[in-house]
């Protein structure tokens, strides 16, 4: 890092910070983003991977949030094919309450209206069983089907950051804010510390944005900050062949009636989520507890009894901490608001809360506050397309069109370079995933990988898709990536030890990280 002056310094490399950086840089601000860990290290790589309008918010009467979420979902589906994809949801009806069924269908009619759609939702028992053939059949009356969307959350962050760089922004991972700089009570920049080498540098900025999410209250030198209620959401990852699904299946948990889901994602099946207060510190990574693991397994066994699922079927787990605003009422975590909040003091704007789907709307709201502190900057803050249109790369006749579209969605302007860099056999998929080997080479070459965990948990998702975190493939991964990274043997061996230890303690399926 070199000292310099910026219009905007964004602190936090999750989806909120990335969105702010993109919207600011495309409107002419000279902008820098720093992240103390890796891009998307926190909540933005550990979400439920859903881009959704939020039927629950509609049921709670939060029409504005639902409308905003639905519109942002539709924009992402339009602007990010290959990265954000439609996902059908199926909800089985066992006849417990006709009133609830009617209410659900009425809510879906509003949901469709907000999205500009109109489609049938009720299916009789025979047609519903064809959509979700492994669900419990006893007492099945039929079911409801509706559409939302899904994504790879970490790749969404990386794509947004790269679009910002295309507009002139700069980004640095593993650079922490040691303290804010002030003059006459106004924030004028920050002292940055390279987390790898320990060197520090002061950078000046006309406005600093705190977009650190659940960590928003821990920024040294800021004044007031909102009270947050960190909530942990945990997930199980099951091989697609063991829990095969074409639709996402939503169900009410047999113990407490909370909604739980399972859906196909990147060649595996994700099941989640919990919603519990995260009483642990925020410095270390969140992890699934035994109670959460058992809670989710109970739901899966109840919904798919004929599959006889057990803990041995789970290949990985992960948990994220949501930056939820603390209302002070200490009600059920699932009832806590998912609204975002923007606050400011001279030279500093902070933002926290919100959800993955609405990152663009959050960014524009934040920039409206930034504009109040930049009297000569008069931006037009109407929404623009999330991403510039990118044609899929061209490849040999052996590369499926669907893979080329996927690479365009995930890598944007670099998709053709990725394909061109692939060596013999590297556009073949890694078994059990939708990831070609070539994505590993490109990530190691061009995507700011500083740790092996960056490569396997965020640039790709092999660490949660493959048995033992992908240990069986590490020899080939090493052959592809070590020369690109420029690591010597000792460095690779140390990184591999650290990665496998992290996987066992925080991402493994069972007893290695019990509470």
């Amino acid at each position: 890092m070199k000292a310099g002056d910026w219009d905007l310094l964004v602190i936090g490399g999750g989806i909120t910070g990335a969105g702010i950086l993109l919207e600011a840089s495309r409107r002419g601000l000279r902008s820098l983003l720093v992240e103390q860990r890796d891009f998307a290290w926190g909540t933005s790589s550990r979400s439920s991977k859903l881009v959704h309008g939020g039927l629950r918010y509609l049921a709670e009467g939060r029409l504005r949030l639902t409308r905003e979420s639905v519109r942002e979902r539709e924009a992402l589906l339009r602007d990010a094919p290959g990265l954000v994809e439609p996902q059908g949801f199926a909800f089985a009806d066992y006849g417990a309450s006709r009133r609830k069924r009617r209410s659900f269908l009425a809510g879906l009619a509003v949901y469709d209206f907000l999205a500009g759609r109109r489609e049938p939702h009720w299916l009789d028992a025979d047609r519903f069983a064809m959509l979700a053939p492994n669900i419990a059949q006893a007492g099945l009356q039929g079911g409801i089907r509706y559409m939302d969307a899904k994504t790879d959350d970490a790749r969404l962050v990386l794509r947004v950051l790269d679009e910002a760089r295309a507009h002139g922004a700069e980004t640095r991972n593993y650079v922490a804010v040691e303290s804010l700089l002030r003059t006459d009570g106004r924030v004028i920049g920050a002292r940055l510390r390279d987390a790898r080498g320990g060197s520090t540098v002061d950078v000046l900025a006309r406005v600093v944005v705190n977009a650190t999410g659940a960590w928003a209250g821990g920024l040294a030198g800021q004044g007031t900050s909102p009270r947050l209620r960190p909530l942990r959401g945990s997930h199980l990852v099951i091989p697609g062949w063991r829990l095969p699904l074409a639709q996402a299946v939503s169900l009410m948990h047999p113990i407490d009636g909370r909604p739980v889901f399972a859906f196909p994602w990147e060649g595996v099946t994700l099941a989640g989520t919990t919603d519990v207060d995260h009483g642990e510190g925020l410095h270390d990574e969140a992890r699934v507890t035994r109670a959460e693991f058992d809670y989710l397994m109970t739901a899966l066994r109840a919904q798919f009894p004929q599959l006889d699922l057990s803990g041995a079927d789970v290949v990985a787990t992960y948990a994220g901490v949501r930056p939820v605003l603390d209302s002070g009422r200490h009600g059920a975590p699932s009832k806590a608001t998912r609204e975002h909040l923007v606050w400011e003091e001279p030279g500093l704007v902070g933002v926290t809360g919100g959800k993955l789907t609405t990152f663009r709307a959050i960014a524009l709201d934040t920039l409206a506050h930034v504009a109040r502190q930049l009297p000569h900057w008069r931006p037009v803050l109407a929404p623009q397309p999330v991403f510039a249109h990118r044609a899929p790369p061209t490849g040999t006749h052996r590369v499926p069109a669907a893979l080329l579209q996927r690479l365009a969605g995930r890598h944007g302007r670099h998709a053709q370079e990725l394909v061109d860099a692939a060596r013999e056999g590297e556009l073949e998929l890694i078994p059990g995933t939708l990831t070609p080997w070539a994505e590993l080479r490109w990530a190691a070459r061009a995507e700011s990988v500083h740790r092996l965990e960056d490569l396997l948990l965020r640039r790709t998702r092999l660490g949660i898709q493959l048995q033992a975190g992908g240990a069986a493939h590490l020899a080939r991964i090493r052959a592809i990536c070590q020369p690109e990274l420029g690591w010597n043997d000792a460095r690779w061996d140390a990184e591999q030890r650290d990665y496998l230890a992290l996987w066992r303690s925080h991402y493994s399926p069972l007893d290695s990280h019990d509470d």
Side-chain angles (χ1 to χ4, degrees):
M1 290 292 301
K2 295 181 180 180
D5 295 347
W6 304 86
D7 294 322
L8 194 70
L9 170 63
V10 180
I11 305 170
I15 190 61
T16 299
I20 293 166
L21 188 76
L22 172 58
E23 299 299 341
S25 60
R26 74 188 346 168
R27 289 169 173 82
L29 292 186
R30 186 166 180 262
S31 303
L32 167 68
L33 178 144
V34 296
E35 162 57 46
Q36 66 176 343
R37 304 267 190 140
D38 186 28
F39 303 129
W41 177 86
T43 312
S44 295
S45 62
R46 307 159 198 260
S47 76
S48 295
K49 324 300 184 196
L50 296 175
V51 175
H52 62 99
L55 274 173
R56 177 167 66 84
Y57 313 136
L58 185 62
E60 294 168 355
R62 298 173 182 170
L63 184 61
R64 188 198 64 79
L65 179 59
T66 307
R67 180 174 60 246
E68 181 178 79
S69 300
V70 166
R71 290 177 178 175
E72 292 302 306
R73 180 197 67 192
E74 294 300 300
L76 284 164
L77 282 167
R78 180 186 66 243
D79 297 340
L83 178 57
V84 179
E85 299 292 337
Q87 177 61 63
F89 274 74
F91 191 95
D93 187 337
Y94 293 94
S97 171
R98 291 188 178 183
R99 182 182 62 81
K100 287 184 178 180
R101 179 200 300 177
R102 290 193 295 269
S103 176
F104 199 166
L105 290 170
L108 284 171
V110 177
Y111 208 52
D112 286 350
F113 174 77
L114 294 175
R117 297 181 179 181
R118 186 176 181 179
E119 54 191 19
H121 296 289
W122 174 255
L123 301 173
D124 62 30
D126 290 339
R127 287 190 296 162
F128 189 83
M130 291 180 66
L131 282 180
N134 292 306
I135 66 168
Q137 299 294 313
L140 182 66
Q141 302 292 305
I144 293 170
R145 182 179 183 272
Y146 62 94
M147 294 299 295
D148 260 321
K150 60 185 175 182
T151 191
D152 179 336
D153 48 1
R155 288 304 324 180
L156 179 61
V157 172
L158 292 165
R159 176 78 192 277
V160 174
L161 289 173
D162 189 65
E163 291 286 326
R165 286 191 289 267
H167 289 279
E170 294 194 26
T171 62
R172 301 287 188 274
N173 55 349
Y174 294 99
V175 172
V177 173
E178 197 169 85
S179 62
L180 295 176
L181 305 177
R182 288 180 180 270
T183 255
D184 298 327
R186 180 181 179 86
V187 174
I188 61 167
R191 175 160 295 169
L192 306 181
R193 177 175 49 81
D194 187 320
R196 293 152 299 179
S199 61
T200 61
V201 64
D202 291 348
V203 299
L204 301 180
R206 297 168 68 195
V207 177
V208 175
V209 172
N210 177 359
T212 56
W215 294 260
L219 186 61
Q222 76 175 354
T224 59
S225 60
R227 290 179 55 188
L228 297 178
R229 184 183 182 182
L231 298 179
R232 186 173 62 250
S234 293
H235 305 78
L236 310 182
V237 185
I238 299 168
W241 64 267
R242 191 65 182 89
L243 180 52
L245 295 174
Q247 308 291 316
V249 173
S250 297
L251 61 140
M252 307 308 288
H253 198 285
I255 294 176
D256 59 7
R258 280 189 62 255
V260 179
F261 59 79
F263 72 98
W265 179 81
E266 294 290 314
V268 297
T269 298
L270 291 186
T273 176
T274 60
D275 209 359
V276 298
D277 286 298
H278 183 70
E280 304 170 16
L282 292 173
H283 180 72
D284 296 325
E285 299 200 29
R287 57 183 182 173
V288 178
T289 64
R290 166 59 66 180
E292 290 172 292
F293 187 97
D294 292 343
Y295 174 87
L296 292 174
M297 287 304 304
T298 296
L300 293 176
R301 283 191 288 263
Q303 184 68 77
F304 307 103
Q306 65 272 41
L307 293 180
D308 194 26
L309 294 168
S310 72
D313 294 310
V314 179
V315 297
T317 64
Y318 70 91
V321 180
R322 306 180 183 101
V324 175
L325 301 174
D326 187 354
S327 67
R329 292 193 292 268
H330 302 293
S334 296
K335 300 297 184 183
T337 180
R338 267 47 173 181
E339 303 274 0
H340 72 276
L341 175 69
V342 182
W343 72 100
E344 59 181 294
E345 58 180 279
L348 176 70
V349 174
V351 57
T352 193
K355 52 203 285 284
L356 179 74
T357 307
T358 57
F359 74 88
R360 180 177 65 166
I362 294 171
L364 294 174
D365 187 20
T366 304
L367 288 181
H369 288 74
V370 169
R372 294 209 293 254
Q373 304 211 29
L374 295 176
H376 301 297
W377 184 57
R378 290 289 178 264
V380 176
L381 294 178
Q384 298 180 23
V386 181
F387 299 130
H389 174 72
R390 306 283 181 186
T394 57
T396 69
H397 65 279
R398 295 187 299 273
V399 182
L403 175 57
L404 296 175
Q405 180 64 74
R406 168 191 167 87
L407 294 176
R410 295 165 71 85
H411 297 276
R413 61 189 175 131
H414 301 294
Q416 188 64 59
E417 295 172 271
L418 185 155
V419 171
D420 293 343
R423 298 185 183 176
E424 183 67 28
E426 289 183 0
L427 288 170
E428 296 174 3
L429 301 185
I430 300 170
T433 77
L434 302 181
T435 303
W437 296 98
E439 287 196 80
L440 286 162
R441 180 177 297 283
W442 183 254
R445 177 179 297 184
E447 292 192 330
S448 300
V449 170
H450 296 289
R451 303 296 308 274
L452 187 57
E453 64 169 271
D454 303 341
L455 183 71
L456 299 180
L457 292 174
R458 288 172 288 277
R459 304 305 181 278
T460 68
R461 315 314 296 272
L462 303 180
I464 60 172
Q465 294 169 309
L466 299 176
Q467 196 80 33
H473 296 289
L474 283 175
R476 184 170 181 185
I477 293 170
R478 180 174 191 164
I480 293 171
C481 297
Q482 186 176 350
E484 299 284 357
L485 291 165
W487 294 351
N488 60 26
D489 288 345
R491 171 72 184 277
W492 184 278
D493 291 342
E495 288 290 339
Q496 183 167 307
R497 284 194 301 270
D498 289 348
Y499 164 69
L500 291 174
L502 173 66
W503 188 88
R504 285 190 295 269
S505 63
H506 287 77
Y507 294 88
S508 62
L510 287 171
D511 299 328
S512 59
H513 60 260
D514 280 358
D515 258 14

